[in-house]
Amino acid sequence: MLQGGWLILNLIVGALAGPQAAAAVPPPGVSCTYQACMVKCDKLNGLTCNSYCEAKVAQRVAARMCPAANPAD
């Protein structure tokens, strides 16, 4: 009975931790840095890349598609 309780508890904790662990790796084709966004935007001849990239990277961090920027980097 005790082993069954531990199994259920581990399954619940694993299910809750799953989406957070997956958020550390961005989906393919998603730029998570300002510099990578600027390079991609410039290749597409974007005129307003600065404001676009600032907003886009902030949105992706807020949506947990990208990890938060480390100020020490």
Side-chain angles (χ1 to χ4, degrees), residues 12-51:
I12 292 171
V13 170
L16 293 175
Q20 294 166 348
V25 178
V30 173
S31 56
C32 288
T33 64
Y34 177 79
Q35 291 81 9
C37 180
M38 285 295 291
V39 168
K40 190 173 185 179
C41 186
D42 284 339
K43 285 182 181 177
L44 299 173
N45 294 324
L47 298 175
T48 57
C49 290
N50 293 354
S51 58

Side-chain angles (χ1 to χ4, degrees), residues 1 4 8 17 31 35 38 44 53 60-61 67:
M1 183 69 172
I8 292 171
S31 56
Q35 291 81 9
M38 285 295 291
L44 299 173
C53 287
R60 289 176 178 167
V61 169

